[in-house]
Amino acid sequence: ILTVLGNSAVLATAVKRSSLLKSPELLTVNLAVADIGMALSMYPLAIASAWNHAWLGGDASCIYYALMGFLFGVCSMMTLCAMAVIRFLVTNSSKSNGNKITKNTVFILIGFIWLYSLLWAILPLVGWGYYGPEPFGISCTIAWSKFHYSSNGFSFILSMFLLCTVLPALTIIACYLGIAWKVHKAYQEIQNIDRIPNAAKLEKKLTLMAVLISVGFLSSWTPYAAASFWSMFHSSHSLQPIVTLLPCLFAKSSTAYNPFIYYIFSKTFRCEIKKLQCCCGWRVHYFSTNNSVENPVSMMWNG
């Protein structure tokens, strides 16, 4: 619910301000699309399976669930990587060079991110790698346990780990360390004048917001990655179901954090949310102004 409501607010704000969106902000919109796509395509099936105490739909729904999770997961990771690279380029370039990152360039980058994610998601369907159920039985993902059973599974998981996890994560870390060093040097120079311009403050705030988004995503998925790597080299039965379930749930919660980060750091987003609240409040007030005897609808709203 938090994922759908929060990211729907992000998308509604983006649509309303579409003509005013800057090029890097399109990546934020893409991240919201990936988060809400994961929630709508996966969570209802997982919730129904949890209530059923067993996976619903058999192998077909298991493959669908794992494919959606892999697609949106890789898309989110690569989007965060692209955000870090663009923030690094903007921070370390002059104003004229920073403006060269146009919307068309970002659209092409987003298209590449989705194609890259789709490629990795369909590879297990064509014979390289496998999809399978989680050890606790009410979720599906990459078959980590087949890492040591076949060379096929070994090569796929190793390649996926390097190209979809390690390389993007190292890129994100390197970019933000470079930004931090650049901002630190800039603030040292500014302090000599005893004056910090608004542009520098805004740059610091945007960078901090992007860092928190990346940290939230990586920290959410780290316990799941640790449990998955354990099952790669040991039997999946060596872990209790609750030990494999909790990291999975924590990883899925990563889709709900970003709207709260935007709300804290973005004054524009806060204003748009307040407008949406006023709009919803006006509708409730409209239904509740008439006498409840004359208008039964108001009785239902009050109830």
Side-chain angles (χ1 to χ4, degrees):
I1 292 172
L2 290 176
T3 297
V4 173
L5 292 180
N7 288 285
S8 294
V10 174
L11 295 179
T13 302
V15 170
K16 189 174 180 180
R17 299 182 62 254
S18 57
S19 60
L20 301 175
L21 287 179
K22 298 179 181 179
S23 302
E25 291 178 315
L26 296 174
L27 291 171
T28 303
V29 176
N30 190 58
L31 191 60
V33 170
D35 288 343
I36 200 170
M38 180 178 287
L40 295 176
S41 64
M42 299 172 59
Y43 297 172
L45 184 57
I47 293 169
S49 298
W51 281 104
N52 188 55
H53 299 281
W55 182 253
L56 295 174
D59 293 339
S61 63
C62 183
I63 292 175
Y64 159 80
Y65 184 93
L67 186 145
M68 291 294 105
F70 198 18
L71 171 65
F72 291 119
V74 174
C75 181
S76 297
M77 185 65 171
M78 300 309 297
T79 301
L80 291 172
C81 181
M83 288 173 63
V85 171
I86 288 181
R87 285 238 53 84
F88 178 79
L89 294 176
V90 170
T91 303
N92 288 273
S93 302
S94 62
K95 186 175 180 181
S96 58
N97 291 331
N99 292 333
K100 290 182 179 179
I101 303 176
T102 63
K103 287 188 176 181
N104 288 335
T105 303
V106 177
F107 277 128
I108 294 173
L109 181 59
I110 291 174
F112 172 78
I113 289 172
W114 280 103
L115 288 176
Y116 185 82
S117 305
L118 183 62
L119 172 65
W120 279 102
I122 64 176
L123 284 176
L125 302 181
V126 296
W128 192 32
Y130 310 95
Y131 287 135
E134 299 269 17
F136 51 87
I138 55 172
S139 179
C140 293
T141 185
I142 299 168
W144 301 98
S145 59
K146 293 190 177 182
F147 179 84
H148 53 279
Y149 289 146
S150 68
S151 58
N152 188 338
F154 175 87
S155 60
F156 173 76
I157 292 177
L158 185 61
S159 301
M160 181 275 299
F161 174 68
L162 292 175
L163 298 177
C164 298
T165 304
V166 174
L167 187 59
L170 291 178
T171 302
I172 291 172
I173 293 171
C175 286
Y176 286 130
L177 286 177
I179 292 172
W181 176 252
K182 179 73 174 181
V183 171
H184 173 70
K185 297 296 289 184
Y187 265 67
Q188 281 187 331
E189 296 175 0
I190 292 171
Q191 285 173 356
N192 294 332
I193 313 173
D194 196 25
R195 181 172 176 269
I196 301 176
N198 290 331
K201 294 179 181 179
L202 178 62
E203 188 69 29
K204 184 179 180 180
K205 181 183 290 187
L206 292 174
T207 301
L208 181 59
M209 184 177 71
V211 168
L212 288 177
I213 292 171
S214 300
V215 169
F217 182 86
L218 293 175
S219 60
S220 298
W221 282 92
T222 297
Y224 179 77
S228 299
F229 269 78
W230 177 271
S231 63
M232 285 166 53
F233 299 100
H234 304 82
S235 172
S236 58
H237 300 291
S238 62
L239 294 175
Q240 294 294 326
I242 191 68
V243 177
T244 56
L245 174 61
L246 290 179
C248 183
L249 294 178
F250 190 50
K252 298 299 190 295
S253 72
S254 65
T255 58
Y257 301 150
N258 294 340
F260 293 100
I261 297 174
Y262 303 147
Y263 188 84
I264 294 172
F265 286 91
S266 175
K267 183 178 179 180
T268 302
F269 185 62
R270 286 198 301 271
C271 293
E272 294 297 334
I273 292 297
K274 290 177 181 178
K275 290 179 182 178
L276 289 175
Q277 289 175 341
C278 291
C279 181
C280 295
W282 177 86
R283 290 175 181 173
V284 174
H285 177 72
Y286 173 80
F287 281 109
S288 60
T289 49
N290 295 333
N291 188 279
S292 61
V293 176
E294 297 176 355
N295 186 6
V297 178
S298 65
M299 189 179 298
M300 289 189 291
W301 276 90
N302 291 332

